[in-house]
Amino acid sequence: MKIQLVKNITLALCLTLIAGVAALARDKGPVEESAKAAEAFREIMAAPDKAIPQEVLDAAECIAVFPGAKKGAFVIGVQKGEGVVSCRTGSGWSAPVFLDMAGGSFGPQIGGQSTDYVLLFMNRKGADNLLKNKFELGGEASVAAGPVGRTAAASTDWKLNAEILSYSRSKGLFAGAALKGVKISVDDSDMHKIYGNGATAQGLLRDNKVEAPPEARAFPNTLEQFSAAQAVNK
């Protein structure tokens, strides 16, 4: 009876944690999400010696930022976040597509934190994952921790097989992150709020047929400040 009671209490706490993390992660509208992603990216790039190397940034096809993703743990770890992604087009960075992030882990763990995540989609194969309704990092999409700082660009490891390079910033520390097992999906609700019914990731990121309203362009406008619309040949 006592063992079953402990199990029930643990399960209840885990379910409460999942609900709480999900609620905290969904407290922004799409316009604010674009602005928050832009702010996080500017802050990360403000320290060149510790930021994403320019050569790596210029080679990326698409860039996604999940600002302030929430992570909590009580035996079961839960991670939830909302973010935006933009891809290079012939005429500039695309209108933003709004995304959800979700992941979990099991084991001895307790606590919570807020983390900014950055994903660089380095080639066409990696970027094609964004056209799916949902994909898993390390599953359908290969992912590796990205290099950081000026000297890291000299390494050619990131050029070899990485479809996606991942980074995280927590408590001021920015570094490459082994972000595997996390599922990324298109946030249809936010997409409809900004673009109306029928808007798709394909239409925005690949076909470039949809224009974002000015108030939602904070993120792609910021990307244009740090890297040109055309990717550097790899």
Side-chain angles (χ1 to χ4, degrees):
M1 290 293 292
K2 289 184 178 180
I3 294 176
Q4 185 60 46
L5 178 60
V6 170
K7 287 182 177 179
N8 290 342
I9 292 174
T10 300
L11 178 59
L13 288 171
C14 290
L15 292 174
T16 301
L17 172 66
I18 291 170
V21 170
L24 285 171
R26 301 190 62 86
D27 60 356
K28 308 181 202 54
V31 171
E32 183 181 359
E33 195 64 48
S34 181
K36 290 288 187 182
E39 179 183 8
F41 192 77
R42 286 194 302 269
E43 291 175 354
I44 287 167
M45 296 304 295
D49 292 335
K50 300 178 181 179
I52 300 169
Q54 192 66 47
E55 181 183 355
V56 179
L57 185 66
D58 288 344
E61 296 283 344
C62 307
I63 299 175
V65 175
F66 295 83
K70 307 301 181 183
K71 184 177 182 180
F74 185 86
V75 182
I76 295 175
V78 181
Q79 188 165 270
K80 292 284 291 184
E82 292 182 311
V84 295
V85 64
S86 182
C87 294
R88 300 179 198 268
T89 72
S91 58
W93 287 89
S94 73
V97 165
F98 298 90
L99 303 172
D100 284 333
M101 165 192 285
S105 60
F106 185 85
Q109 51 192 320
I110 189 168
Q113 64 182 24
S114 176
T115 303
D116 298 328
Y117 291 102
V118 179
L119 302 179
L120 301 188
F121 297 79
M122 302 307 298
N123 51 42
R124 185 65 174 261
K125 185 177 180 182
D128 281 346
N129 288 290
L130 292 166
L131 307 183
K132 303 174 184 177
N133 185 52
K134 179 183 290 187
F135 66 96
E136 181 178 337
L137 297 178
E140 300 99 315
S142 65
V143 61
V148 174
R150 296 182 190 274
T151 58
S155 171
T156 58
D157 293 347
W158 61 271
K159 296 182 179 180
L160 298 178
N161 298 310
E163 295 178 15
I164 302 171
L165 297 178
S166 58
Y167 298 86
S168 68
R169 182 181 68 162
S170 180
K171 298 180 180 179
L173 179 63
F174 183 70
L179 197 62
K180 296 183 179 181
V182 172
K183 292 181 174 60
I184 307 294
S185 59
V186 175
D187 187 331
D188 291 326
S189 176
D190 279 353
M191 292 285 282
H192 294 164
K193 288 176 184 177
I194 294 296
Y195 304 112
N197 294 332
T200 65
Q202 170 84 32
L204 275 71
L205 302 178
R206 186 59 53 77
D207 299 338
N208 197 29
K209 292 182 178 180
V210 181
E211 286 289 332
E215 62 271 19
R217 282 200 59 86
F219 182 63
N221 288 347
T222 294
L223 295 182
E224 289 174 2
Q225 298 173 16
F226 291 92
S227 190
Q230 294 293 335
V232 175
N233 291 333
K234 297 179 275 294

